[in-house]
Amino acid sequence: MNVIETRLPGIGVRREIVTGSGRRVGIVAQRDGELDLIISKANDPDACVASIPLTPDEAATIGNLLGSRQLVAQLTEEHRDLPGVSTRQFLIERGSPFDGRSLGDTRMRSRSGASLVAVLRSGQVQASPTPDFTLAAGDLLVVVGTAEGLDTAADILRNG
């Protein structure tokens, strides 16, 4: 996929892609560090139908959500012949009891039987994180386990 980069004098840089429907979707990274998600009009790629300001955490989370689909699809395919095993995603939200704490502090595997197989952070995948890996708000955790184990993992991450 081609990323079109356009310098915007006095503003910053626009990076976008052209979707199959012909729309341009991208971000404007302003010189002051602000980020805007932009979506072009269907009939005029130079005009925006929406420009949505994003905090760095929001931008990272959207990147994680979009990038996680391929990883989860691959894991689901790999586990399809294992009855009772599922893959689920969990977001570490600001204010979570584990924001800024290590994965080991959750004791997720011993308490739920579910395994954290990857963390998506700022569009990057950290596969098989170790117990000393520090979780942060905006991280998207990819966890594998039974339905019961995944429900317990969700409760652990939500309530401590």
Side-chain angles (χ1 to χ4, degrees), residues 88-116:
R88 203 179 296 171
Q89 302 168 59
F90 301 105
L91 180 66
I92 299 293
E93 296 187 33
R94 187 166 306 286
S96 161
F98 296 106
D99 180 9
R101 294 182 54 199
S102 74
L103 172 59
D105 288 345
T106 69
R107 298 183 308 123
M108 184 187 312
R109 183 167 172 82
S110 61
R111 293 170 63 193
S112 71
S115 297
L116 176 63

Short mmCIF file of all heavy atoms in Angstrom, two decimals, residues 88-116:
data_model
loop_
_atom_site.label_atom_id
_atom_site.label_comp_id
_atom_site.label_asym_id
_atom_site.label_seq_id
_atom_site.Cartn_x
_atom_site.Cartn_y
_atom_site.Cartn_z
N ARG A 88 -8.56 -13.40 22.34
CA ARG A 88 -9.30 -12.19 22.66
C ARG A 88 -8.32 -11.03 22.88
O ARG A 88 -7.17 -11.26 23.23
CB ARG A 88 -10.14 -12.40 23.93
CG ARG A 88 -11.31 -11.44 24.00
CD ARG A 88 -12.17 -11.66 25.24
NE ARG A 88 -12.84 -12.95 25.27
CZ ARG A 88 -13.49 -13.40 26.33
NH1 ARG A 88 -13.59 -12.67 27.43
NH2 ARG A 88 -14.07 -14.58 26.31
N GLN A 89 -8.81 -9.83 22.65
CA GLN A 89 -7.99 -8.63 22.83
C GLN A 89 -8.49 -7.84 24.04
O GLN A 89 -9.69 -7.74 24.26
CB GLN A 89 -8.10 -7.73 21.60
CG GLN A 89 -7.69 -8.40 20.32
CD GLN A 89 -8.09 -7.56 19.13
OE1 GLN A 89 -7.68 -6.42 19.02
NE2 GLN A 89 -8.90 -8.13 18.26
N PHE A 90 -7.55 -7.26 24.78
CA PHE A 90 -7.89 -6.43 25.93
C PHE A 90 -7.08 -5.14 25.86
O PHE A 90 -5.88 -5.18 25.64
CB PHE A 90 -7.58 -7.14 27.25
CG PHE A 90 -8.29 -8.45 27.42
CD1 PHE A 90 -7.62 -9.65 27.26
CD2 PHE A 90 -9.64 -8.49 27.72
CE1 PHE A 90 -8.27 -10.86 27.42
CE2 PHE A 90 -10.31 -9.69 27.87
CZ PHE A 90 -9.62 -10.88 27.72
N LEU A 91 -7.75 -4.02 26.09
CA LEU A 91 -7.09 -2.72 26.07
C LEU A 91 -6.75 -2.31 27.49
O LEU A 91 -7.58 -2.38 28.38
CB LEU A 91 -8.03 -1.69 25.44
CG LEU A 91 -7.50 -0.26 25.34
CD1 LEU A 91 -6.31 -0.19 24.38
CD2 LEU A 91 -8.62 0.67 24.87
N ILE A 92 -5.50 -1.88 27.69
CA ILE A 92 -5.11 -1.30 28.98
C ILE A 92 -5.50 0.18 28.92
O ILE A 92 -4.96 0.94 28.13
CB ILE A 92 -3.59 -1.45 29.26
CG1 ILE A 92 -3.18 -2.92 29.30
CG2 ILE A 92 -3.21 -0.72 30.54
CD1 ILE A 92 -3.74 -3.69 30.47
N GLU A 93 -6.48 0.54 29.72
CA GLU A 93 -6.97 1.92 29.71
C GLU A 93 -6.24 2.75 30.75
O GLU A 93 -5.71 2.22 31.73
CB GLU A 93 -8.47 1.93 29.98
CG GLU A 93 -9.24 1.22 28.88
CD GLU A 93 -10.75 1.36 29.01
OE1 GLU A 93 -11.21 2.42 29.48
OE2 GLU A 93 -11.45 0.41 28.64
N ARG A 94 -6.24 4.05 30.52
CA ARG A 94 -5.66 4.97 31.51
C ARG A 94 -6.42 4.77 32.81
O ARG A 94 -7.63 4.66 32.82
CB ARG A 94 -5.78 6.41 31.02
CG ARG A 94 -5.05 7.38 31.92
CD ARG A 94 -4.88 8.74 31.28
NE ARG A 94 -4.24 8.74 29.98
CZ ARG A 94 -2.94 8.53 29.77
NH1 ARG A 94 -2.14 8.30 30.76
NH2 ARG A 94 -2.44 8.56 28.55
N GLY A 95 -5.69 4.65 33.91
CA GLY A 95 -6.33 4.40 35.20
C GLY A 95 -6.48 2.93 35.52
O GLY A 95 -6.93 2.57 36.61
N SER A 96 -6.11 2.06 34.59
CA SER A 96 -6.15 0.62 34.85
C SER A 96 -5.23 0.31 36.03
O SER A 96 -4.19 0.94 36.19
CB SER A 96 -5.66 -0.15 33.62
OG SER A 96 -5.26 -1.46 33.95
N PRO A 97 -5.59 -0.70 36.84
CA PRO A 97 -4.69 -1.06 37.95
C PRO A 97 -3.30 -1.51 37.47
O PRO A 97 -2.37 -1.56 38.27
CB PRO A 97 -5.41 -2.19 38.67
CG PRO A 97 -6.61 -2.54 37.88
CD PRO A 97 -6.79 -1.51 36.81
N PHE A 98 -3.16 -1.84 36.18
CA PHE A 98 -1.87 -2.33 35.68
C PHE A 98 -1.17 -1.35 34.74
O PHE A 98 -0.12 -1.67 34.20
CB PHE A 98 -2.04 -3.70 35.03
CG PHE A 98 -2.48 -4.73 36.02
CD1 PHE A 98 -3.79 -5.20 36.01
CD2 PHE A 98 -1.62 -5.18 37.00
CE1 PHE A 98 -4.21 -6.12 36.96
CE2 PHE A 98 -2.03 -6.09 37.95
CZ PHE A 98 -3.33 -6.57 37.93
N ASP A 99 -1.71 -0.14 34.57
CA ASP A 99 -1.03 0.89 33.79
C ASP A 99 0.26 1.27 34.52
O ASP A 99 0.23 1.73 35.65
CB ASP A 99 -1.95 2.11 33.63
CG ASP A 99 -1.32 3.25 32.83
OD1 ASP A 99 -0.24 3.03 32.23
OD2 ASP A 99 -1.91 4.34 32.79
N GLY A 100 1.41 1.00 33.87
CA GLY A 100 2.70 1.31 34.48
C GLY A 100 3.27 0.20 35.34
O GLY A 100 4.32 0.36 35.95
N ARG A 101 2.59 -0.94 35.38
CA ARG A 101 3.08 -2.08 36.18
C ARG A 101 3.50 -3.21 35.25
O ARG A 101 3.15 -3.26 34.09
CB ARG A 101 1.99 -2.54 37.14
CG ARG A 101 1.72 -1.46 38.19
CD ARG A 101 0.69 -1.83 39.21
NE ARG A 101 0.99 -3.07 39.88
CZ ARG A 101 0.06 -3.76 40.54
NH1 ARG A 101 -1.19 -3.33 40.60
NH2 ARG A 101 0.37 -4.89 41.15
N SER A 102 4.23 -4.15 35.80
CA SER A 102 4.75 -5.25 34.98
C SER A 102 3.68 -6.29 34.72
O SER A 102 2.73 -6.45 35.49
CB SER A 102 5.95 -5.91 35.66
OG SER A 102 5.52 -6.70 36.75
N LEU A 103 3.87 -7.02 33.62
CA LEU A 103 2.98 -8.12 33.28
C LEU A 103 2.94 -9.14 34.42
O LEU A 103 1.88 -9.66 34.77
CB LEU A 103 3.44 -8.77 31.98
CG LEU A 103 2.74 -10.06 31.57
CD1 LEU A 103 1.25 -9.85 31.40
CD2 LEU A 103 3.36 -10.61 30.30
N GLY A 104 4.09 -9.40 35.03
CA GLY A 104 4.16 -10.35 36.14
C GLY A 104 3.27 -9.96 37.30
O GLY A 104 2.74 -10.83 38.01
N ASP A 105 3.06 -8.66 37.51
CA ASP A 105 2.18 -8.20 38.59
C ASP A 105 0.74 -8.67 38.41
O ASP A 105 0.01 -8.79 39.38
CB ASP A 105 2.20 -6.67 38.70
CG ASP A 105 3.49 -6.12 39.25
OD1 ASP A 105 4.28 -6.90 39.83
OD2 ASP A 105 3.71 -4.90 39.10
N THR A 106 0.34 -8.94 37.16
CA THR A 106 -1.04 -9.38 36.93
C THR A 106 -1.26 -10.83 37.39
O THR A 106 -2.37 -11.20 37.72
CB THR A 106 -1.42 -9.32 35.42
OG1 THR A 106 -0.69 -10.31 34.69
CG2 THR A 106 -1.21 -7.94 34.85
N ARG A 107 -0.19 -11.62 37.35
CA ARG A 107 -0.27 -13.06 37.61
C ARG A 107 -1.39 -13.70 36.78
O ARG A 107 -2.06 -14.63 37.20
CB ARG A 107 -0.45 -13.34 39.10
CG ARG A 107 0.73 -12.85 39.93
CD ARG A 107 0.65 -13.15 41.41
NE ARG A 107 -0.61 -12.72 42.00
CZ ARG A 107 -1.46 -13.53 42.66
NH1 ARG A 107 -1.15 -14.78 42.86
NH2 ARG A 107 -2.59 -13.07 43.14
N MET A 108 -1.57 -13.17 35.57
CA MET A 108 -2.68 -13.59 34.71
C MET A 108 -2.66 -15.08 34.39
O MET A 108 -3.67 -15.76 34.51
CB MET A 108 -2.68 -12.80 33.40
CG MET A 108 -3.87 -13.13 32.52
SD MET A 108 -3.84 -12.40 30.88
CE MET A 108 -3.44 -10.72 31.22
N ARG A 109 -1.50 -15.60 34.01
CA ARG A 109 -1.45 -17.02 33.62
C ARG A 109 -1.79 -17.93 34.79
O ARG A 109 -2.58 -18.87 34.65
CB ARG A 109 -0.09 -17.36 33.04
CG ARG A 109 -0.03 -18.79 32.54
CD ARG A 109 1.22 -19.00 31.70
NE ARG A 109 1.41 -20.38 31.38
CZ ARG A 109 0.79 -21.02 30.39
NH1 ARG A 109 -0.07 -20.39 29.63
NH2 ARG A 109 1.03 -22.29 30.17
N SER A 110 -1.21 -17.65 35.96
CA SER A 110 -1.46 -18.54 37.11
C SER A 110 -2.89 -18.37 37.65
O SER A 110 -3.46 -19.32 38.17
CB SER A 110 -0.43 -18.30 38.21
OG SER A 110 -0.50 -16.98 38.69
N ARG A 111 -3.47 -17.18 37.50
CA ARG A 111 -4.81 -16.94 38.03
C ARG A 111 -5.92 -17.33 37.07
O ARG A 111 -7.04 -17.63 37.50
CB ARG A 111 -4.96 -15.46 38.40
CG ARG A 111 -4.06 -15.05 39.57
CD ARG A 111 -4.02 -13.56 39.77
NE ARG A 111 -5.32 -13.00 40.12
CZ ARG A 111 -5.58 -11.70 40.10
NH1 ARG A 111 -4.63 -10.84 39.76
NH2 ARG A 111 -6.77 -11.27 40.43
N SER A 112 -5.63 -17.31 35.75
CA SER A 112 -6.70 -17.55 34.77
C SER A 112 -6.43 -18.73 33.85
O SER A 112 -7.36 -19.25 33.24
CB SER A 112 -6.91 -16.31 33.91
OG SER A 112 -5.81 -16.12 33.03
N GLY A 113 -5.17 -19.10 33.71
CA GLY A 113 -4.80 -20.14 32.74
C GLY A 113 -4.66 -19.59 31.33
O GLY A 113 -4.27 -20.30 30.41
N ALA A 114 -4.97 -18.32 31.14
CA ALA A 114 -4.85 -17.68 29.82
C ALA A 114 -3.43 -17.14 29.64
O ALA A 114 -2.79 -16.75 30.60
CB ALA A 114 -5.88 -16.56 29.68
N SER A 115 -2.98 -17.10 28.40
CA SER A 115 -1.62 -16.67 28.09
C SER A 115 -1.62 -15.41 27.24
O SER A 115 -2.29 -15.35 26.20
CB SER A 115 -0.87 -17.75 27.33
OG SER A 115 -0.74 -18.90 28.11
N LEU A 116 -0.84 -14.44 27.67
CA LEU A 116 -0.64 -13.23 26.88
C LEU A 116 0.40 -13.57 25.82
O LEU A 116 1.54 -13.90 26.15
CB LEU A 116 -0.16 -12.09 27.77
CG LEU A 116 0.18 -10.78 27.07
CD1 LEU A 116 -1.04 -10.18 26.41
CD2 LEU A 116 0.77 -9.80 28.06
#
